[in-house]
Coordinates of all heavy atoms in Angstrom, one line a residue:
A96 N 18.8 -16.3 -14.1 CA 18.4 -15.9 -12.8 C 19.3 -14.8 -12.2 O 18.8 -13.9 -11.5 CB 18.5 -17.1 -11.9
A98 N 20.4 -12.2 -13.8 CA 20.0 -11.0 -14.4 C 18.8 -10.4 -13.6 O 18.5 -9.2 -13.7 CB 19.7 -11.1 -15.9
L99 N 18.0 -11.3 -13.0 CA 16.8 -10.9 -12.3 C 17.1 -10.3 -10.9 O 16.2 -9.7 -10.3 CB 15.8 -12.0 -12.2 CG 15.2 -12.5 -13.5 CD1 14.4 -13.8 -13.3 CD2 14.4 -11.5 -14.2
S114 N 8.4 3.4 0.2 CA 7.3 3.6 -0.8 C 6.0 3.1 -0.2 O 5.0 3.8 -0.2 CB 7.6 3.0 -2.1 OG 6.5 3.1 -3.0
A126 N -8.2 8.0 5.4 CA -9.2 7.2 6.2 C -9.6 8.0 7.5 O -10.8 8.0 7.8 CB -8.6 5.9 6.6
L127 N -8.7 8.6 8.1 CA -9.0 9.4 9.4 C -9.9 10.6 9.0 O -10.9 10.9 9.8 CB -7.8 9.9 10.1 CG -6.9 8.7 10.7 CD1 -5.6 9.3 11.3 CD2 -7.7 8.0 11.7
S136 N -21.3 13.3 10.5 CA -22.6 13.3 9.7 C -23.5 12.1 10.0 O -24.6 12.0 9.4 CB -22.3 13.4 8.2 OG -21.7 12.2 7.8
A145 N -14.3 4.2 5.6 CA -13.2 4.7 6.3 C -12.5 3.6 7.1 O -11.3 3.5 7.1 CB -13.6 5.8 7.3
V150 N -7.9 -0.4 7.5 CA -7.3 -1.8 7.3 C -6.4 -1.8 6.1 O -5.3 -2.4 6.2 CB -8.5 -2.8 7.1 CG1 -7.9 -4.2 6.8 CG2 -9.3 -2.9 8.4
A151 N -6.7 -1.2 5.1 CA -5.8 -1.1 3.9 C -4.5 -0.4 4.2 O -3.5 -0.8 3.7 CB -6.5 -0.5 2.7
A155 N -0.9 -2.1 3.8 CA 0.2 -1.6 3.0 C 1.5 -1.5 3.7 O 2.5 -1.8 3.2 CB -0.2 -0.2 2.4
V156 N 1.4 -1.1 5.0 CA 2.7 -1.0 5.8 C 3.2 -2.4 6.0 O 4.4 -2.6 5.9 CB 2.4 -0.2 7.1 CG1 3.6 -0.3 8.0 CG2 2.1 1.2 6.8
L157 N 2.3 -3.3 6.3 CA 2.8 -4.7 6.6 C 3.4 -5.3 5.3 O 4.4 -6.0 5.3 CB 1.7 -5.6 7.1 CG 1.2 -5.3 8.5 CD1 0.0 -6.1 8.9 CD2 2.4 -5.5 9.5
Y158 N 2.7 -5.1 4.2 CA 3.3 -5.6 2.9 C 4.6 -5.0 2.6 O 5.5 -5.7 2.1 CB 2.3 -5.3 1.8 CG 2.8 -5.9 0.4 CD1 2.7 -7.2 0.2 CD2 3.3 -5.0 -0.5 CE1 3.2 -7.8 -1.0 CE2 3.7 -5.5 -1.7 CZ 3.7 -6.9 -2.0 OH 4.2 -7.4 -3.1
N168 N 16.6 -10.8 1.5 CA 17.0 -12.2 1.5 C 17.3 -12.7 0.1 O 17.7 -13.9 0.0 CB 15.9 -13.1 2.1 CG 15.8 -12.9 3.6 OD1 16.7 -12.5 4.2 ND2 14.6 -13.1 4.1
R169 N 17.2 -11.9 -0.9 CA 17.6 -12.2 -2.3 C 16.9 -13.5 -2.8 O 17.6 -14.5 -3.1 CB 19.1 -12.3 -2.4 CG 19.8 -11.1 -2.1 CD 21.3 -11.3 -2.3 NE 22.0 -10.1 -1.9 CZ 23.3 -10.0 -2.0 NH1 24.0 -10.9 -2.5 NH2 23.8 -8.9 -1.6
G174 N 10.2 -8.0 -9.0 CA 8.9 -7.3 -9.2 C 7.9 -7.7 -8.2 O 7.8 -8.9 -7.8
P175 N 7.0 -6.8 -7.9 CA 5.9 -7.2 -7.0 C 4.9 -8.0 -7.7 O 4.7 -7.9 -8.9 CB 5.3 -5.8 -6.6 CG 5.7 -4.9 -7.7 CD 7.0 -5.4 -8.2
A181 N -2.8 -4.6 -8.1 CA -4.2 -4.5 -8.3 C -4.9 -4.0 -7.0 O -5.8 -3.2 -7.0 CB -4.8 -5.8 -8.8
T193 N -14.3 7.6 -1.4 CA -14.6 8.0 0.0 C -14.4 9.5 0.2 O -15.2 10.2 0.8 CB -13.8 7.2 1.0 OG1 -14.0 5.8 0.7 CG2 -14.2 7.5 2.4
A196 N -17.2 11.3 -1.6 CA -18.4 11.2 -0.8 C -18.4 12.0 0.5 O -19.4 12.6 0.9 CB -18.7 9.7 -0.5

Side-chain angles (χ1 to χ4, degrees):
L99 294 175
S114 174
L127 292 176
S136 66
V150 171
V156 171
L157 290 176
Y158 180 74
N168 289 333
R169 299 181 184 184
T193 305

